[in-house]
Amino acid sequence: MENTQNIQNIVQQQEEESFDYKALFFKLYRYWYFFILTIFIALLIAFLFNKYTKSIFEVSTTVLISDDKGAMDAQQLLGFGLSNNMQNVENEIGKLQSYTLINQTIRQLDLRISYFEEENFVTKELYKNNPFRIELDSLHPQPVNVKFKLNFQDGNTYTLEAEGKGVKLYDFSEFKTAENTEDGTEINVSLDTTFAFGRYVSNKYFRFKVLVNDNYKPDVHDSKSYYFIFNDIGKLTKQFQAFTIEPIKEESSIIKITIKANNVRKSIDFLNTLTNVYLSRNLAKKNRVAENTIKFIDEQLGEISDSLDYAEDNMQ
């Protein structure tokens, strides 16, 4: 009797555990349009994300840190602290990330103006491939971080629009923020006019020319919108300080500089110029040391020569 009851319990449990997949399929099939709609929305989101999200590229370079061997310092004599090589690497990394070195790099690259292209809601920075260029009057202050929107009319004229409130002016002749106005009132920039290429666009807040570059093609560029911005070199310097530097291996004198940005060509030029400025500074420093050493030796030789002449006179 007990065995029969156990068999019945097992059969009942198996029946409870059985699942009607066919019935589930037909229930879900009734909402097939919902699954199609979900897949379509997911693909649309992925397409829009890939289309309108700016790509970020990683660019890197390596620099060999010269080991200037000198006298052993107090920390080494006491047996603690970083080794002379590691101290030198850390010091050179600090120099490469310094504000003054990066500021000099940006000035040498001439990043006073940034150019952009707008097409189908996508904004792309133009670097050394813009169809026009700005020739600014460096003696006149310019409004920074204001979008000057430009559209080609033909090869001779263009429209220029700009709107900005609470604008700051920048003096590119001295690379510093200029006094906005004599009475300290807020500056508002407003512009919507057609101009001829090669003529000054000016008022008391800005003065510059727009010139057409050799790569300008009417059939390509007339259908697109562009804008340019005058950059605050100080703020731009701080933005470019956001790169990483680290030795390629522990105790190595070769360091790797890595920067992440949207424009590959601009990043490559920045790293190349940064390393050139750094190496030029080191070379100038060594030249100054050599010149001072030669000057000191010449002075000492002059004094010794005078002493020898005096001794010779006494002997005679």
Side-chain angles (χ1 to χ4, degrees), residues 308-316:
L308 290 175
D309 291 341
Y310 179 74
E312 183 180 0
D313 292 340
N314 287 337
M315 288 180 65
Q316 290 178 353

PDB file of all heavy atoms in Angstrom, residues 308-316:
ATOM      1  N   LEU A 308     101.021  85.012 -13.156  1.00  0.00           N
ATOM      2  CA  LEU A 308     102.289  84.572 -13.752  1.00  0.00           C
ATOM      3  C   LEU A 308     103.086  85.761 -14.282  1.00  0.00           C
ATOM      4  O   LEU A 308     104.313  85.821 -14.151  1.00  0.00           O
ATOM      5  CB  LEU A 308     102.008  83.575 -14.872  1.00  0.00           C
ATOM      6  CG  LEU A 308     101.484  82.203 -14.438  1.00  0.00           C
ATOM      7  CD1 LEU A 308     101.117  81.346 -15.658  1.00  0.00           C
ATOM      8  CD2 LEU A 308     102.505  81.477 -13.578  1.00  0.00           C
ATOM      9  N   ASP A 309     102.376  86.715 -14.922  1.00  0.00           N
ATOM     10  CA  ASP A 309     103.071  87.906 -15.414  1.00  0.00           C
ATOM     11  C   ASP A 309     103.705  88.693 -14.270  1.00  0.00           C
ATOM     12  O   ASP A 309     104.844  89.183 -14.379  1.00  0.00           O
ATOM     13  CB  ASP A 309     102.083  88.802 -16.174  1.00  0.00           C
ATOM     14  CG  ASP A 309     101.643  88.172 -17.487  1.00  0.00           C
ATOM     15  OD1 ASP A 309     102.352  87.267 -17.972  1.00  0.00           O
ATOM     16  OD2 ASP A 309     100.574  88.579 -18.017  1.00  0.00           O
ATOM     17  N   TYR A 310     102.962  88.801 -13.139  1.00  0.00           N
ATOM     18  CA  TYR A 310     103.489  89.518 -11.985  1.00  0.00           C
ATOM     19  C   TYR A 310     104.720  88.815 -11.413  1.00  0.00           C
ATOM     20  O   TYR A 310     105.748  89.449 -11.086  1.00  0.00           O
ATOM     21  CB  TYR A 310     102.398  89.649 -10.921  1.00  0.00           C
ATOM     22  CG  TYR A 310     102.836  90.349  -9.673  1.00  0.00           C
ATOM     23  CD1 TYR A 310     103.029  91.751  -9.652  1.00  0.00           C
ATOM     24  CD2 TYR A 310     103.090  89.615  -8.500  1.00  0.00           C
ATOM     25  CE1 TYR A 310     103.443  92.376  -8.484  1.00  0.00           C
ATOM     26  CE2 TYR A 310     103.497  90.240  -7.357  1.00  0.00           C
ATOM     27  CZ  TYR A 310     103.669  91.615  -7.340  1.00  0.00           C
ATOM     28  OH  TYR A 310     104.067  92.253  -6.199  1.00  0.00           O
ATOM     29  N   ALA A 311     104.615  87.457 -11.321  1.00  0.00           N
ATOM     30  CA  ALA A 311     105.747  86.689 -10.796  1.00  0.00           C
ATOM     31  C   ALA A 311     106.956  86.794 -11.720  1.00  0.00           C
ATOM     32  O   ALA A 311     108.114  86.894 -11.274  1.00  0.00           O
ATOM     33  CB  ALA A 311     105.337  85.226 -10.615  1.00  0.00           C
ATOM     34  N   GLU A 312     106.685  86.807 -13.029  1.00  0.00           N
ATOM     35  CA  GLU A 312     107.782  86.921 -13.989  1.00  0.00           C
ATOM     36  C   GLU A 312     108.478  88.266 -13.864  1.00  0.00           C
ATOM     37  O   GLU A 312     109.711  88.347 -13.894  1.00  0.00           O
ATOM     38  CB  GLU A 312     107.233  86.738 -15.396  1.00  0.00           C
ATOM     39  CG  GLU A 312     108.310  86.769 -16.486  1.00  0.00           C
ATOM     40  CD  GLU A 312     107.727  86.590 -17.851  1.00  0.00           C
ATOM     41  OE1 GLU A 312     106.484  86.449 -17.971  1.00  0.00           O
ATOM     42  OE2 GLU A 312     108.516  86.598 -18.825  1.00  0.00           O
ATOM     43  N   ASP A 313     107.678  89.334 -13.675  1.00  0.00           N
ATOM     44  CA  ASP A 313     108.255  90.671 -13.509  1.00  0.00           C
ATOM     45  C   ASP A 313     109.130  90.738 -12.283  1.00  0.00           C
ATOM     46  O   ASP A 313     110.223  91.332 -12.270  1.00  0.00           O
ATOM     47  CB  ASP A 313     107.161  91.726 -13.431  1.00  0.00           C
ATOM     48  CG  ASP A 313     106.421  91.881 -14.767  1.00  0.00           C
ATOM     49  OD1 ASP A 313     106.991  91.470 -15.807  1.00  0.00           O
ATOM     50  OD2 ASP A 313     105.276  92.377 -14.756  1.00  0.00           O
ATOM     51  N   ASN A 314     108.678  90.121 -11.164  1.00  0.00           N
ATOM     52  CA  ASN A 314     109.454  90.110  -9.923  1.00  0.00           C
ATOM     53  C   ASN A 314     110.770  89.362 -10.095  1.00  0.00           C
ATOM     54  O   ASN A 314     111.824  89.783  -9.604  1.00  0.00           O
ATOM     55  CB  ASN A 314     108.649  89.472  -8.793  1.00  0.00           C
ATOM     56  CG  ASN A 314     107.537  90.393  -8.304  1.00  0.00           C
ATOM     57  OD1 ASN A 314     107.621  91.634  -8.492  1.00  0.00           O
ATOM     58  ND2 ASN A 314     106.529  89.826  -7.659  1.00  0.00           N
ATOM     59  N   MET A 315     110.703  88.246 -10.812  1.00  0.00           N
ATOM     60  CA  MET A 315     111.926  87.450 -11.037  1.00  0.00           C
ATOM     61  C   MET A 315     112.922  88.243 -11.885  1.00  0.00           C
ATOM     62  O   MET A 315     114.132  88.244 -11.620  1.00  0.00           O
ATOM     63  CB  MET A 315     111.579  86.146 -11.729  1.00  0.00           C
ATOM     64  CG  MET A 315     110.868  85.152 -10.827  1.00  0.00           C
ATOM     65  SD  MET A 315     110.464  83.604 -11.702  1.00  0.00           S
ATOM     66  CE  MET A 315     112.142  83.026 -12.014  1.00  0.00           C
ATOM     67  N   GLN A 316     112.440  88.963 -12.879  1.00  0.00           N
ATOM     68  CA  GLN A 316     113.333  89.762 -13.712  1.00  0.00           C
ATOM     69  C   GLN A 316     113.931  90.926 -12.907  1.00  0.00           C
ATOM     70  O   GLN A 316     115.089  91.310 -13.102  1.00  0.00           O
ATOM     71  CB  GLN A 316     112.569  90.287 -14.927  1.00  0.00           C
ATOM     72  CG  GLN A 316     112.200  89.190 -15.943  1.00  0.00           C
ATOM     73  CD  GLN A 316     111.408  89.744 -17.112  1.00  0.00           C
ATOM     74  OE1 GLN A 316     111.023  90.910 -17.089  1.00  0.00           O
ATOM     75  NE2 GLN A 316     111.156  88.897 -18.104  1.00  0.00           N
TER      76      GLN A 316
END
